[in-house]
Amino acid sequence: MIRFRPLEESDLPQVDAWLRAEHVAEWWRDPVEIAVAKRQAALEGRRQVEHYVILENERPLGIIQTYLVADYPDWGRLIGAEPEAAGVDLFVGEPDAVGRGLGPEILREFARTVVFSRPETTAAVATVEEANIRSWRAFEKAGFRHVRDVEEDGLPHRLLRLDRRYAQ
Ligand SMILES: CC(C)(COP(=O)(O)OP(=O)(O)OC[C@H]1O[C@@H](n2cnc3c(N)ncnc32)[C@H](O)[C@@H]1OP(=O)(O)O)[C@@H](O)C(=O)NCCC(=O)NCCS
């Protein structure tokens, strides 16, 4: 069973270790120190992002986050999304848990139980590097549609979107 619990300060050493795992470092563009500092800032209320730990049968596997496009207007303009849409990012940090089909299940469950639990949220959106096939396939298998291509940080990305009416 997949569920999510809010990230806590005591999770940060584990997050640091996950970010250093080869399969995460390959795709996570923030340097480890910055990625950890961003989560620390969110825990202290200095960043408007909700962070969660992904649990499979209570075992922590990685982290997932969501934020309102309204709080990140430059990104909203870049991807052409409305302020009521919510961004989603994740990584599965435990090496033995990737490539087993868990990603789509995590994304489907997160959309249903977290993102769309806020009644005004219209859609879940994510930008995924074109080269990260495993990631955008996982989003597609969770029901996200590839709506257009966007350039982010100088790299080609796919914009993936799940509208509320298609979330199960
Ligand atoms: C991205 C991630 C969440 C996907 O979850 P996952 O459980 O590993 O994904 P799945 O096992 O469901 O695989 C998804 C699809 O990619 C395919 N796939 C798996 N490994 C692949 C690889 N190395 N290359 C290409 N496709 C691959 C799978 O076959 C599946 O597609 P299919 O059903 O059409 O065959 C997870 O791999 C992860 O966290 N990776 C590290 C960090 C990362 O990339 N985060 C996302 C940043 S946007």
Side-chain angles (χ1 to χ4, degrees):
M1 193 193 95
I2 299 290
R3 74 173 186 95
F4 309 96
R5 66 160 170 79
L7 182 76
E8 295 167 9
E9 180 126 16
S10 57
D11 294 314
L12 293 179
Q14 174 65 83
V15 171
D16 184 297
W18 282 332
L19 284 160
R20 291 173 199 279
E22 204 180 319
H23 71 282
V24 178
E26 189 181 354
W27 297 111
W28 207 260
R29 295 299 169 209
D30 277 343
V32 173
E33 292 73 17
I34 290 176
V36 172
K38 281 184 175 176
R39 279 146 192 87
Q40 177 81 51
L43 290 171
E44 291 169 5
R46 292 183 283 114
R47 277 175 70 85
Q48 299 308 307
V49 179
E50 290 176 26
H51 293 277
Y52 296 87
V53 175
I54 304 162
L55 302 169
E56 184 197 25
N57 299 326
E58 300 306 301
R59 177 192 178 207
L61 293 186
I63 57 171
I64 189 161
Q65 65 203 45
T66 185
Y67 39 91
L68 279 181
V69 168
D71 291 321
Y72 294 88
D74 290 347
W75 190 64
R77 270 188 294 278
L78 176 76
I79 66 168
E82 66 280 14
E84 300 80 12
V88 173
D89 303 291
L90 82 163
F91 65 73
V92 172
E94 292 296 332
D96 69 351
V98 291
R100 274 176 37 203
L102 280 174
E105 191 184 339
I106 291 165
L107 284 162
R108 230 178 281 122
E109 198 59 13
F110 190 68
R112 192 176 71 80
T113 61
V114 179
V115 177
F116 292 118
S117 67
R118 196 197 311 254
E120 58 275 23
T121 300
T122 50
V125 288
T127 48
V128 176
E129 264 183 60
E130 179 70 43
N132 194 353
I133 301 169
R134 181 170 61 189
S135 182
W136 57 252
R137 277 294 297 145
F139 276 90
E140 285 184 340
K141 290 178 82 178
F144 287 67
R145 277 186 319 121
H146 173 203
V147 288
R148 81 172 70 98
D149 297 322
V150 291
E151 191 176 303
E152 206 178 303
D153 305 326
L155 293 167
H157 283 66
R158 290 188 174 205
L159 171 62
L160 293 137
R161 177 175 173 116
L162 176 66
D163 283 286
R164 171 184 284 279
R165 65 181 178 283
Y166 298 123
Q168 301 124 8

